[in-house]
Amino acid sequence: MAKPILQTKSSTLCFAAAGAILVFCVLLIFINPSPWPTFSSFFLSKPIDTKTFYDDPNIHYTIDKPMINWDENRKNWLKNNPTFASKNGVLVVTGSQPSACKNPFGDNLLLRCFKNKVDYCRIHGYDIFYNNAFLDPQMRSYWAKIPILRAAMVAHPEVEWLFWVDSDAIFTDMEFRVPFERYKDHNLVVHGWPNLIYEKKSWVAVNAGVFLIRNCQWAMDFLDVWAGMGPRSPDYSEWGRVLRSTLKDKLFPESDDQSALVYLLLKGDKKWVDKIYVENQYSLHGYWLGIVGKFDGGVENSVRRRRHAEAVSESYAAERRPFVTHFTGCQPCSGDHNPAYEGDSCWVGMERALNFADNQVLRNYGFVHPDVGNGSFVRPLPF
């Protein structure tokens, strides 16, 4: 009778061992809910160091502290994350104020302007970041873009270029591709006119509402210098006086981002000037007042002649349409437009520009705005 007793003890020991293993596995799941570890992860592998430069206390999203070694940190990040690396990756950055618009049409206009930018990004495979918070309480209005760009550079090390576009700027050539190869030796691209910069010394010689900036250490340093002329600086009032005395057509006393940019082109160190490309071979910024009256019969006629998905060359598009139409001075959210603009000319112009651009999108879905002045009416394309 001893043999059965021995078998019972052996079975009991087996069940006890199995139960202990089961309890251990259950506890392991609660402690580490990640996928089941392998044998090698228990006994052979060393712990993996998952730290990135985001764990470095010297890396900051905010504009109040300088960034150091950004090129090296970004290079290492791209090396360790090769799937994110992309040649000439582009992030479109835009935004508006956090509060509701006073202009009764303002929120709708901002939404449609954002939709226009999303359409352009979707067509060209770009990412987009829309911000409506002041990332630095002191940097408001036109200065708000600088802390936004700084944060976006840190958040997106995979991006090579950031494309800042004001909320009131509209892409009116949806097919145009920015010639990034032209800027291989530059880090900032801004629309402007050299004669107005260096001869006239005009504060409107460039436009700071639409520009390209490379994600690099130079840009980090440049943003610090640019912000140093803004309301964060203890010398803000003095900078206003300097800019007004340098740029004779500047009428208001405050230091603004656009005047500061012209000043840096005029008086800045060579390391800044040499890396800034002043573009005027296409409308990186097109002043709306001289453009919106030409939108009649442009895309509307072309879509009637072209069948769905028929290719259009970039040269054709560049000849017919401004790349960006910028409604400077219109203030669509507040409604406090430049008094020189009569009546509702701003809102009528924005309606026309938005519908003109939207026709370039809708035609791929078989529809068109036959009247760019009436965005509520569309009809099927007459194939």
Side-chain angles (χ1 to χ4, degrees):
M1 297 298 292
K3 189 174 182 179
I5 293 173
L6 287 174
Q7 286 181 338
T8 302
K9 288 181 179 180
S10 177
S11 300
T12 301
L13 289 172
C14 289
F15 281 120
I21 292 172
L22 180 61
V23 170
F24 172 75
C25 292
V26 170
L27 288 173
L28 185 63
I29 290 173
F30 281 102
I31 294 171
N32 178 19
S34 59
W36 282 88
T38 63
F39 177 83
S40 61
S41 67
F42 272 124
F43 301 106
L44 301 179
S45 298
K46 294 181 180 180
I48 298 174
D49 184 4
T50 58
K51 288 185 178 181
T52 70
F53 61 67
Y54 293 109
D55 300 300
D56 186 339
N58 294 316
I59 300 294
H60 308 282
Y61 290 95
T62 55
I63 198 71
D64 59 327
K65 297 178 182 178
M67 178 70 75
I68 58 174
N69 298 325
W70 179 242
D71 288 341
E72 180 182 354
N73 285 323
R74 182 169 172 261
K75 180 180 179 181
N76 290 334
W77 190 92
L78 290 171
K79 181 180 178 181
N80 294 327
N81 298 272
T83 56
F84 286 92
S86 60
K87 186 178 181 181
N88 280 341
V90 179
L91 175 68
V92 171
V93 186
T94 186
S96 59
Q97 77 297 318
S99 58
C101 292
K102 290 190 297 182
N103 179 11
F105 307 108
D107 290 312
N108 179 258
L109 286 171
L110 290 183
L111 176 62
R112 294 184 66 193
C113 287
F114 179 51
K115 187 260 185 190
N116 166 264
K117 296 174 179 67
V118 170
D119 281 336
Y120 181 80
C121 290
R122 176 179 51 80
I123 290 169
H124 295 276
Y126 298 159
D127 287 334
I128 187 168
F129 172 51
Y130 190 103
N131 178 70
N132 65 344
F134 293 121
L135 301 189
D136 187 307
Q138 294 176 280
M139 303 285 277
R140 292 170 176 257
S141 186
Y142 33 72
W143 289 104
K145 62 173 71 75
I146 294 179
I148 296 171
L149 289 168
R150 164 64 177 269
M153 287 180 182
V154 178
H156 290 277
E158 79 281 5
V159 167
E160 182 69 16
W161 287 97
L162 288 88
F163 190 175
W164 174 265
V165 187
D166 274 0
S167 60
D168 60 353
I170 297 170
F171 290 108
T172 42
D173 188 347
M174 306 300 280
E175 294 166 332
F176 184 81
R177 290 187 176 274
V178 175
F180 287 103
E181 64 281 356
R182 187 184 300 175
Y183 314 130
K184 59 184 178 62
D185 297 322
H186 295 83
N187 296 328
L188 176 66
V189 182
V190 61
H191 195 273
W193 300 266
N195 65 312
L196 292 180
I197 298 169
Y198 301 108
E199 298 174 20
K200 303 293 185 180
K201 296 180 174 57
S202 170
W203 84 282
V204 295
V206 302
N207 185 273
V210 184
F211 60 87
L212 297 150
I213 189 165
R214 193 186 295 275
N215 193 354
C216 63
Q217 183 67 51
W218 182 97
M220 292 287 187
D221 296 339
F222 182 81
L223 290 178
D224 287 341
V225 171
W226 200 3
M229 304 170 76
R232 295 195 84 262
S233 171
D235 301 320
Y236 179 53
S237 297
E238 178 61 24
W239 273 119
R241 288 189 288 271
V242 169
L243 294 177
R244 196 171 183 185
S245 65
T246 305
L247 310 173
K248 302 303 182 182
D249 60 347
K250 179 176 167 59
L251 300 178
F252 54 96
E254 295 84 6
S255 173
D256 66 285
D257 63 326
Q258 184 167 294
S259 297
L261 186 54
V262 176
Y263 182 88
L264 288 169
L265 282 165
L266 281 169
K267 307 285 188 178
D269 290 345
K270 191 174 185 293
K271 64 181 178 181
W272 307 131
V273 177
D274 287 352
K275 292 294 184 179
I276 300 175
Y277 192 105
V278 179
E279 178 65 84
N280 52 35
Q281 296 183 48
Y282 62 91
S283 296
L284 183 60
H285 150 79
Y287 180 46
W288 71 275
L289 205 55
I291 293 176
V292 293
K294 302 175 182 178
F295 284 153
D296 280 332
V299 171
E300 294 82 353
N301 287 339
S302 71
V303 294
R304 293 188 183 107
R305 292 193 302 267
R306 294 169 51 242
R307 296 191 64 81
H308 173 71
E310 183 181 347
V312 171
S313 69
E314 292 181 9
S315 60
Y316 170 86
E319 290 171 2
R320 295 187 63 90
R321 305 189 283 263
F323 177 38
V324 175
T325 302
H326 192 184
F327 286 81
T328 53
C330 277
Q331 304 295 328
C333 191
S334 68
D336 299 327
H337 59 73
N338 188 324
Y341 304 150
E342 296 181 357
D344 61 353
S345 58
C346 279
W347 325 136
V348 171
M350 293 186 79
E351 174 79 5
R352 294 172 66 83
L354 287 164
N355 293 332
F356 181 83
D358 199 38
N359 272 348
Q360 298 165 56
V361 177
L362 283 180
R363 70 183 178 204
N364 291 324
Y365 298 88
F367 288 84
V368 67
H369 298 281
D371 176 8
V372 294
N374 182 4
S376 62
F377 177 59
V378 298
R379 72 182 184 193
L381 277 173
F383 288 155

